[in-house]
Amino acid sequence: MLLCAQYMLPITSKPFKDGAVLVRDGVIRDIGTSDMLKLRYPEEDVVDYGQAALMPGLVDLHTHLENSVMRGIVHDVPYTTWIASMLEKSAKMDVSDWYDSAILGGLEALSSGITTVADITTTGAACTATQKLGMRSVIYREVGAMDKRRVGYAMRVAENDIMHWREEVDGDRITIGIAPAAMYVCHPSVFSKVSEFARREGVPVAMHMAGNREEYNFIKYGSSPFSVHTMDQKRGYVEIPPWLPTGTTPVRYALNWGAFESDNVLAIHCVHVDDKDVQKLKEYDVAVASCPRCNAQLGMGVAPLNEFLRAGLRLGLGTDSPAATDSTDMLMEMRIGMLVQRAVNVGDFLDSATMLEMATIGGARALKLDDKIGSLDIGKRADIVAVDLSGSHQTPTTDPVSAVVNTCSGADVLMTMVDGIVLYEKSKWNVGVEVAKNIARVIEIRGKLRM
């Protein structure tokens, strides 16, 4: 199959006009101009997307697909109020609800050009959903316990889930990892045990880190809305005292407990960090997932992307929970993330090309999948999207990269392909689920959540 479009955005080389990609057996076999590849492969079927950009599939470095059904339910509240509301709503969900919600999230991701997601879950719904939908994913099983005596049991249950999930999925497309729960619900020994398991089994690790001021104050000073005063009500009996001020930052607290001792660690958010934190993240080769829309929506702060880039960290973008941002849209994530950085860092002008790189090859590097995905290079997996650039607000297009980042949203995606299989094309689906049935289930679930 030959995919053609007016623009080609390979990411690792300069964009060029009238580009084409040859896809065979799920792999990119050749790239070049449309005329050249049509002459070289006259027997191939040609699909021409016209005034559009062919580009690598977007890599969503952090999300919670199973929360998709809760989008739009809690608005205009800060992080601590939002997380409490989410816990309350979650109590009304059952196993099938989580699965149908994750399917909804996966469908939205595909329709907005996302081919790979990195998802943190306890239910496993995202694991089943991405397997069914044909998406590429890294699924992290979350594990946590505040009481030290419960850590061993929590780890055993998580390890069993991981082994079971591995057997249920296509290992070439889906990777299973492990994730310590948020720091304010984790005994610190969880971090070292997670690292030990990750080294032993060769699995990736992800963790929320330094995402909001309340977490920062909890770790450093022992006081915030997450403080010990309500732990007896929320968590039952725990050791006394369960928490004391550490006097250090969340990054260095995690470091001190061995959180960075495995080979493939992803830190999510990293909003409230200092220069020494950034230095330590680089020293231990910890990748960072930045989630600008969620951070802005919930009043969490602004991550220092320019400092991360200067330090040479592996860096990408995540959409985070759809319950916070109301959509799984990486194109919008790029634009808002770029504009926020420009507004707060006058003099450090972040450009469109950097944002597009973060959303593609940057995310792939962060997951250590850049040998397979993230750019249109011969030999890589055919995870490709076509984005429409024919709108009146986009023409005439003098810079396709700028047009994609500054003018596009998920609604402009014409086609999404994973492993050479077109899963979405102009509102048509080629996935292993009944889309209409899922939408009906979602309406039913949302009615239950509003009660």
Side-chain angles (χ1 to χ4, degrees), residues 302-323:
V302 179
L305 297 190
N306 284 304
E307 282 79 356
F308 296 156
L309 290 166
R310 278 193 288 268
L313 296 181
R314 291 179 292 123
L315 177 64
L317 296 175
T319 59
D320 210 334
S321 173

Side-chain angles (χ1 to χ4, degrees), residues 8-16 31 54-56 374-377:
M8 177 86 75
L9 310 183
I11 304 303
T12 53
S13 59
K14 289 184 178 180
F16 58 90
I31 62 171
L54 283 176
M55 51 185 271
S375 61
L376 301 185
D377 288 315

Side-chain angles (χ1 to χ4, degrees), residues 30-49:
D30 205 351
I31 62 171
T33 65
S34 297
D35 290 343
M36 180 181 72
L37 263 62
K38 286 175 183 176
L39 286 172
R40 192 178 294 169
Y41 308 102
E43 75 285 357
E44 290 290 337
D45 293 334
V46 176
V47 182
D48 194 334
Y49 291 99

Side-chain angles (χ1 to χ4, degrees), residues 107-120:
L107 291 171
E108 183 175 17
L110 286 171
S111 68
S112 62
I114 295 168
T115 54
T116 300
V117 295
D119 189 291
I120 293 182

